Amino acid sequence: MEKKTFVTKDQLEEIVKEYPTPFHLYDEKGIRDNAERLKEAFAWNKGFKEYFAVKATPNPFILKLLKKCGCGTDCSSMTELMMSDVCGFKGNEIMFSSNDTPPEEFRFAADLGAIINLDDFTHIQCLEETIGRIPETICCRYNPGGLFKISNSIMDNPGDSKYGMTTEQIFEAFKVLKAKGAKHFGIHAFLASNTVTNEYYPTLAKVLFEMAVKLKKETGADIRFINLSGGIGIPYRPDQEPNDIMVIGEGVRNVYEEVLVPAGMGDVALFTELGRFMLAPYGCLVTKAIHEKHTYKEYIGVDACAVNLMRPAVYGSYHHITVAGKEQAPCDHTYDVVGSLCENCDKFAIDRNLPEIEKGDLLIIHDTGAHGFSMGYNYNGKLRSAELLLKEDGSVRMIRRAETEKDYFATFDFCDIFKKYQ
């Protein structure tokens, strides 16, 4: 299969006249169309709502775009709650799914009216002591432990995960929460990351639906929603078959009708909190080739580095690379594509077959729309790049400016020695 870009060389050449590389570029039309497909896939469930995982792409322009598509937000920190608030998300449009949670974050989430998703049994006491009550609507995160399998394939190891309550703990949590005033309940679980299979969500749904039936029967809890969380991945490699969200939605529907409907729970709403699936394919990192090196290997040095996209350096993750304007050229050169960090792992590609690259060529690094910019950092004193939005009409809007040296030194504002640069 071929990895296609959503931006052309001609468009990029116009963009770089105003915005120097590197930068992250997002596709407004692709984001909107994908959000609509997700809604269509779960339209059979009256209460369905996508709570976009803010950590994947924490940008207010992206959040406002998704809000217009009917999405809520899933937050894991104080600043993500703040961003959701200023972007106009209110009350139960916000899901607060954190872990090892500072009490002041529970308090702020409660003040916003967000749905609080408790990660641990001990957090019940922490929440009650912090806000003086238990909210009427509350959610608990479940971890069944062991290995999570689909057919004979091991997808992940929940038993080794720090997240969620055990089976015994979640039953006890529902009883305690109900006794303390909770009236409406939700269940949440995240058992595998970046799955590229249409079976994951239906399999996860069956685990949660069966748990919901048991919880209702044993505790009498009014279970209003089940949050399937994230985990639907994308095909980073061109030879991978993408997930089909319509098939996934229908698979979940079949399990819903098999498990929940006969138990008298056919009005339970379904939530998702997708990040990667929602945004990753609709963002790219655009960088320029600035050096070439011929030693024991052939290297192309670009003006981006791991601080702009850490996944290849830290996880060894594959991100496809297109050389703008050379899409049809033969991939008859083998390169390591590298950045300028003083770390040997700062490589976007290793032994990658690409067209011949010349200094000045623009490289498009695919699938950076989620967990791309958001995982950036300032090692080596590097500055984070701009974020741009390619609008449906072909125009480009800057939605985050690039950092400057003044930004880097701003936290030393109590100290005189850097005033020259502030």
Side-chain angles (χ1 to χ4, degrees), residues 358-396:
E358 302 166 281
K359 285 189 283 187
D361 279 348
L362 295 171
L363 278 61
I364 300 167
I365 302 178
H366 291 245
D367 299 322
T368 70
H371 309 290
F373 179 95
S374 67
M375 298 179 79
Y377 51 102
N378 289 117
Y379 183 56
N380 277 189
K382 295 293 185 179
L383 304 175
R384 282 171 286 201
S385 64
E387 291 180 293
L388 311 177
L389 183 65
L390 179 63
K391 306 281 285 181
E392 288 203 46
D393 62 8
S395 64
V396 172

Side-chain angles (χ1 to χ4, degrees), residues 265-284:
M265 300 175 69
D267 58 349
V268 172
L270 296 185
F271 298 162
T272 57
E273 51 176 56
L274 300 169
R276 196 185 313 267
F277 176 81
M278 295 295 289
L279 259 294
Y282 312 106
C284 62

Side-chain angles (χ1 to χ4, degrees), residues 297-298 333-337 347 349-354:
K297 303 181 77 172
E298 294 295 300
H333 286 63
T334 303
Y335 297 112
D336 281 14
V337 179
K347 299 179 178 182
I350 298 174
D351 295 329
R352 185 75 60 86
N353 293 328
L354 292 164

